Amino acid sequence: MTEPAAAPRRRSSLSRRILLGLLGYALLVLAAVVIVQGVVVNEHAERMVWASLMNTELEHFVERSRNEPGYRWTDTKSLSLYDSATRPAPPALRALGPGMHDDIESDGIEHVVLVRDVDGRRLTLSLDIEDMEHLEFDLALTIAGSAITTLLTLCLVIAWGVRRLVRPLTLLAQRIGGLQPDRAGQRIELPDSASSELVVIADAVNDYVARNDRFVERERAFIDSASHELRTPIAVIAGSTELALAQPDLPSGARQHLARIHRTARDVEQLVSLLLVLAKDPQRLAASSDRVALDQLLPEIVEDHRHLCRDKDLRLALAPLPPCEIVAPLPIVQAAIGNLLRNAIENSDRGEIAVRLDPDATVVIEDPGHGMSPEEISALYARVARDGREGGGIGLDLISRLCEHLGWRLRFDPAERGTRTTLSLRPE
């Protein structure tokens, strides 16, 4: 049993990758700048301001105390001085050693404290920074808001720039995707502003398309030439066997061999006709097409294939046919339907092969088995041909190519016991 094919992985576009990469880079740089500004620079500058202010105040107090022995410090709303000789510091500040101390909490309020030993006594200068911390938090929010605004602006600018840069590549990819395999003379045109890399890609694709056109033309010319060369000897063989079969005194053994030669010659002649169709451009087929009445053609094809059921317990059942007419090459329609009917006979053991025609020019052939499993039908779609077939016919591979060439649709589905083959003869 074949394993189900894995679902194709969805790939992101180049512009999306570039955009996400640039946005990630911008976000990383912006975060680093904010962190450095807020944590390193701001804290360092703040500490320098506190140190300068409090050292100046304390030195002023010490100098004036020495010059005026009766001088006493007067506390302000935010600045307090504690002298171990006259006014001990609060318990939260007593354990601090000499130097500057930041973010010291006393009585539920944050302080900056400067401790210095002067003339055998300890001076402690405390600055209330509670209001300043609130201002610092507001400043941090302002910085964060400006950073987010800057990031959003960068997103818009980067998205616009990336879209502008990748647009030529996107257009090139769309034009490459729009190339049709059945059209000749296609080229990819680029504007004068295209980059050198895009020119290299476009030139390579154009060169490949031109070489593919030449290859297809050579293949068609070869098939056309070979097919025409084969038609004459095949017609001679078929005509000679018909004349020989018309002789009344022909022995029965020789008649059987000549009949087999005649059938094989006709099959090869049909194959050559189909190859000639494949050698033609699809647009040129309309000139060689006929108006084909399928409701009259199907009974003839079924009758031509009844002899293949003689050695099997098989019956061909043709459902009532609605009037239906199409425009297509008559030999191709005969060959396609006949080959599918032959395929159904060869792959059935006993029972009834039902053939019907829908009003939309769809021929349905349902055989009784041995049928195909879903896995076998999947494999059939993969290679669109069965190997090791016996008897005449051109094979499902060539039939599938003809359907693609003419815009027909061919599909195989599991039926109740066998396989249902559906051929839609109206171009898509």
Side-chain angles (χ1 to χ4, degrees), residues 49-65:
V49 170
W50 299 147
S52 176
L53 172 65
M54 299 181 73
N55 278 318
T56 300
E57 290 291 336
L58 192 58
E59 287 173 2
H60 174 75
F61 170 75
V62 171
E63 183 179 355
R64 190 164 180 179
S65 297

Side-chain angles (χ1 to χ4, degrees), residues 134-389:
H134 289 302
L135 291 175
E136 184 178 358
F137 179 75
D138 294 339
L139 179 61
L141 289 180
T142 303
I143 294 175
S146 63
I148 293 174
T149 303
T150 303
L151 181 61
L152 293 177
T153 306
L154 278 175
C155 290
L156 296 176
V157 173
I158 291 174
W160 177 82
V162 168
R163 187 176 294 108
R164 182 179 178 84
L165 289 173
V166 181
R167 185 183 303 158
L169 183 60
T170 303
L171 293 176
L172 177 63
Q174 291 174 350
R175 291 176 181 175
I176 293 176
L179 294 175
Q180 299 296 324
D182 56 347
R183 289 175 53 192
Q186 300 177 96
R187 284 186 58 82
I188 295 176
E189 302 295 339
L190 291 178
D192 295 335
S193 60
S195 64
S196 59
E197 292 82 3
L198 292 183
V199 172
V200 171
I201 296 174
D203 288 345
V205 173
N206 288 333
D207 180 65
Y208 173 80
V209 171
R211 286 187 285 112
N212 184 70
D213 287 344
R214 292 193 296 269
F215 170 78
V216 171
E217 188 59 34
R218 287 196 303 268
E219 183 185 50
R220 284 179 174 172
F222 172 76
I223 293 176
D224 184 71
S225 176
S227 301
H228 279 294
E229 292 296 329
L230 286 172
R231 296 182 78 173
T232 300
I234 292 172
V236 171
I237 295 173
S240 299
T241 52
E242 285 180 359
L243 292 175
L245 288 170
Q247 301 299 320
D249 56 348
L250 187 67
S252 60
R255 185 177 296 276
Q256 291 179 359
H257 291 299
L258 286 174
R260 183 176 181 184
I261 292 172
H262 185 263
R263 287 196 303 269
T264 303
R266 291 305 181 194
D267 289 340
V268 176
E269 187 176 16
Q270 187 184 74
L271 173 61
V272 171
S273 299
L274 296 176
L275 291 175
L276 282 172
V277 171
L278 285 178
K280 293 182 180 179
D281 194 298
Q283 283 76 14
R284 294 167 51 196
L285 285 175
S288 60
S289 296
D290 311 298
R291 300 191 72 85
V292 179
L294 290 177
D295 55 311
Q296 299 176 17
L297 180 63
L298 265 180
E300 298 177 5
I301 297 175
V302 171
E303 290 302 322
D304 289 341
H305 287 78
R306 286 193 188 276
H307 69 278
L308 298 176
C309 301
R310 284 198 299 261
D311 298 330
K312 295 184 177 183
D313 186 15
L314 274 176
R315 299 180 306 279
L316 297 181
L318 185 62
L321 304 175
C324 182
E325 189 175 76
I326 62 172
V327 177
L330 176 60
I332 310 308
V333 178
Q334 291 174 319
I337 299 176
N339 193 268
L340 295 175
L341 183 57
R342 184 194 302 267
N343 183 78
I345 294 172
E346 291 174 355
N347 289 276
S348 301
D349 298 322
R350 62 178 57 86
E352 182 179 271
I353 296 178
V355 181
R356 77 170 189 268
L357 173 65
D358 294 339
D360 60 349
T362 299
V363 178
V364 180
I365 302 173
E366 188 169 333
D367 64 67
H370 30 273
M372 291 186 294
S373 65
E375 292 78 12
E376 290 172 325
I377 291 178
S378 176
L380 178 64
Y381 271 119
R383 64 181 187 272
V384 205
R386 292 192 180 103
D387 299 326
R389 296 175 67 251

Side-chain angles (χ1 to χ4, degrees), residues 35-46:
I35 291 174
V36 170
Q37 173 70 23
V39 176
V40 179
V41 177
N42 190 52
E43 289 294 328
H44 182 68
E46 185 182 73

Side-chain angles (χ1 to χ4, degrees), residues 46 50 78 127-137:
E46 185 182 73
W50 299 147
S78 58
L127 176 64
D128 180 359
I129 60 171
E130 187 73 19
D131 294 338
M132 297 180 185
E133 286 295 324
H134 289 302
L135 291 175
E136 184 178 358
F137 179 75

